[in-house]
Amino acid sequence: MITVAQAHETEKKVMREVYCETLQRMAEEDGRVGGVEADLAAPIGTVPFSRQFPERFFDCGVQESNMVGVGAGLSAAGMVPFAHTFAAFAARRCMDQVFVSASYARLNLKLVGSDPGVTALY
């Protein structure tokens, strides 16, 4: 039996690769899953997702609060949106919108913050 620690050592991946692969796999299995980005499709690697599911991919530009509002609206319409931006922006720039548009209404919006530190590796 392999432990979690051993699995981690044998299979190192950058967080963004895991996120993109997982998002794409979930979207293949569930037609409600969508992606909402704050102008980061190329840096984070969700371009393949946007090409495979153009009707379920939304780039809101560098507008994190707007991205959360769009994601909340998509959730209210029945989608399961994954809204992504850099961690620093997810933790600060859009928290009021998360509360007012998503949490207060108990919507199924997933907020993803990547690249939290000085490096984007592991």
Side-chain angles (χ1 to χ4, degrees):
M1 171 182 242
I2 190 167
T3 67
V4 174
Q6 291 168 326
H8 178 71
E9 286 300 316
T10 59
E11 188 179 336
K12 289 186 177 182
K13 287 189 175 184
V14 178
M15 181 268 186
R16 66 179 66 146
E17 291 175 23
V18 175
Y19 171 69
C20 295
E21 290 170 6
T22 304
L23 183 64
Q24 201 152 359
R25 187 172 55 247
M26 290 185 330
E28 289 168 354
E29 295 173 5
D30 186 344
R32 299 172 305 147
V33 171
V36 187
E37 292 277 348
D39 202 29
L40 294 171
I44 196 66
T46 52
V47 172
F49 180 93
S50 71
R51 290 185 180 142
Q52 184 175 357
F53 305 104
E55 72 287 353
R56 291 192 267 157
F57 181 80
F58 306 88
D59 188 339
C60 297
V62 185
Q63 303 176 37
E64 283 78 6
S65 292
N66 183 47
M67 172 191 72
V68 170
V70 168
L74 293 170
S75 177
M79 285 186 73
V80 180
F82 284 74
H84 168 262
T85 187
F86 291 136
F89 303 151
R92 294 190 326 249
R93 289 193 178 171
C94 57
M95 279 300 119
D96 283 341
Q97 202 67 30
V98 168
F99 176 76
V100 172
S101 295
S103 298
Y104 187 71
R106 298 179 188 251
L107 295 173
N108 192 9
L109 171 67
K110 314 299 186 196
L111 184 60
V112 180
S114 69
D115 301 289
V118 205
T119 180
L121 300 177
Y122 310 105

